[in-house]
């Protein structure tokens, strides 16, 4: 976040492979833990408070930042550096331990020197001059990496196929598509029934049957056709009966002008159930 001096954790497991190692700036390291960022970086052995864990009684975790305390189900400390200085402490960590144990700043510092990560607090600049730049944990990993395991890893990397270019990928995709199409065509041809196969019935296909040509007409047939054209068709019995009914139907009476008839009277006249004289007699009465 800032452009001032920083110090990075030297623990091999910091970040657990999911993120970069923890880094502290000058102000946070001094106010939260009372450590100098220049001396911590020069020592080459600085371990972040999260990787330190607990330093003893009254300290659940050396890291007192808000996220770490929430993970441990503790309330965040917020800005308490002013209260720590009023109580005679130069950092928040020692002040929180003092509240629980009542230890002084010197006693808490002596407790820190007993841990491997706190030995650099009792050393001077002369002790740091001949020390390698890499921390012991990282140096051991690098030395172990030069062994047979690293050779195996290099062999595995060499054995892995190199990623193909875009053109090669397109060609392989096109070849796969062609193979799939060929397989589909083979499956379709296998499903079709074979014609004339042994032990199998051939598929029934509609065959066109040629109709034989009609023989030429003989002289006797021509004479019979002429006689049939000259002769008239006989009337069917149904048509003769209809003609008889039309002849037997009574003639429709002529209704004089000015004579008003009801629908019933007209129907009776049409059916022959009543005569016109009877209707006139009824109207006169």
């Amino acid at each position: 976040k800032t452009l001032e001096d920083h110090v990075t954790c030297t623990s091999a497991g910091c970040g657990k492979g999911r993120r970069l190692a923890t880094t502290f700036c000058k102000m946070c390291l001094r106010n939260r833990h009372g450590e100098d960022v220049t001396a911590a970086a020069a020592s080459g052995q600085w371990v972040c408070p999260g990787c330190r864990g607990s330093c003893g009684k009254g300290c659940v975790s050396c890291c007192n930042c808000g996220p770490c305390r929430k993970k441990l189900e503790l309330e965040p400390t917020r800005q308490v550096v002013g209260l720590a200085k009023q109580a005679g402490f130069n950092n928040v960590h020692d002040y929180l331990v003092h509240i629980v144990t009542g230890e002084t700043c010197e006693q808490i510092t002596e407790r820190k020197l007993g841990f491997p990560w706190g030995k650099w607090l009792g050393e001077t600049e002369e002790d740091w001059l001949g020390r390698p730049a890499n921390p012991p944990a990282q140096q051991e990993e690098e030395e172990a990496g030069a062994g047979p395991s690293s050779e195996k890893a290099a062999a595995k990397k060499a054995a892995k196929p190199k990623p193909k270019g875009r053109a090669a990928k397109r060609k392989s995709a096109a070849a796969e598509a062609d193979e799939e199409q060929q397989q589909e065509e083979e499956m379709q041809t296998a499903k079709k029934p074979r014609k004339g196969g042994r032990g199998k019935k051939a598929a029934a296909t509609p065959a066109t049957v040629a109709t034989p040509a009609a023989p030429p007409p003989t002289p006797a047939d021509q004479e019979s056709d002429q006689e049939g054209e000259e002769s008239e068709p006989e009337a069917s019995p149904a048509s003769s009966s209809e003609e008889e009914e039309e002849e037997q139907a009574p003639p429709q009476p002529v209704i004089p002008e000015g004579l008003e008839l009801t629908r019933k009277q007209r129907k009776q006249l049409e059916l022959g159930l009543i005569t016109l004289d009877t209707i006139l007699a009824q109207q006169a009465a």
Side-chain angles (χ1 to χ4, degrees):
K1 297 179 182 179
T2 59
L3 299 176
E4 56 185 326
D5 295 336
H6 289 76
V7 60
T8 303
C9 179
T10 59
S11 176
C14 188
K16 299 179 180 180
R18 297 192 298 268
R19 57 173 177 79
L20 296 175
T22 304
T23 301
F24 267 68
C25 68
K26 178 180 178 180
M27 294 298 294
C28 290
L29 189 62
R30 184 178 63 189
N31 292 334
R32 287 284 174 178
H33 301 279
E35 300 172 6
D36 182 64
V37 67
T38 305
S43 68
Q45 292 184 341
W46 183 81
V47 177
C48 70
C51 293
R52 295 176 187 178
S54 174
C55 64
K57 186 179 179 182
C59 176
V60 180
S61 175
C62 286
C63 188
N64 50 56
C65 69
C68 287
R69 288 182 66 86
K70 285 182 179 179
K71 288 179 182 178
L72 299 172
E73 299 182 356
L74 299 173
E75 289 293 331
T77 62
R78 297 182 177 84
Q79 299 295 335
V80 294
V81 65
L83 297 176
K85 289 180 178 180
Q86 290 177 5
F89 294 87
N90 64 348
N91 64 88
V92 175
H93 172 270
D94 294 355
Y95 173 66
L96 295 175
V97 174
H98 166 73
I99 294 174
V100 178
T101 63
E103 293 177 301
T104 62
C105 184
E106 291 77 10
Q107 292 173 341
I108 298 171
T109 303
E110 290 178 2
R111 186 166 70 174
K112 292 178 182 178
L113 293 173
F115 292 91
W117 52 262
K119 289 181 179 180
W120 70 272
L121 294 171
E123 296 176 348
T124 60
E125 189 175 353
E126 295 177 356
D127 300 328
W128 304 333
L129 292 176
R131 187 170 294 165
N134 294 336
Q138 293 183 2
Q139 190 174 3
E140 290 176 2
E141 288 183 358
E142 290 178 358
E143 292 176 357
S149 59
S150 62
E151 294 178 359
K152 292 181 180 179
K156 287 183 179 179
K157 288 183 180 179
K160 288 183 179 179
K162 295 182 180 180
K164 299 179 181 179
R166 292 184 179 178
K169 289 181 180 178
R170 289 175 184 172
K171 288 181 180 179
S172 61
E176 290 178 0
D178 293 339
E179 289 179 1
E180 291 179 359
Q181 188 174 1
Q182 290 178 0
Q183 291 178 0
E184 290 180 359
E185 291 177 356
E186 290 176 359
M187 292 175 64
Q188 290 178 0
T189 53
K191 289 180 180 179
K192 290 181 180 179
R194 297 181 181 178
K195 295 182 178 180
R198 184 180 295 177
K200 294 183 180 179
K201 294 181 179 180
T205 55
T208 56
V209 180
T211 55
T218 59
D221 295 337
Q222 292 179 358
E223 292 177 0
S224 62
D225 292 340
Q226 290 177 1
E227 290 177 359
E229 290 175 359
E230 292 176 359
S231 62
E232 294 180 356
E234 296 179 359
S236 61
S239 59
S240 60
S241 61
E242 289 177 359
E243 290 176 358
E244 291 177 359
E245 288 179 359
E246 289 178 0
E247 292 176 357
Q248 294 177 1
Q252 296 294 332
V254 180
I255 300 172
E257 296 180 1
L259 181 63
E260 295 180 359
L261 300 175
T262 61
R263 185 180 297 176
K264 184 178 179 180
Q265 291 174 346
R266 289 180 181 276
K267 192 67 176 176
Q268 288 177 349
L269 281 173
E270 292 176 0
L271 298 176
L273 301 176
I274 193 171
T275 60
L276 186 62
D277 296 336
T278 306
I279 295 172
L280 292 173
Q282 289 177 357
Q283 288 184 356

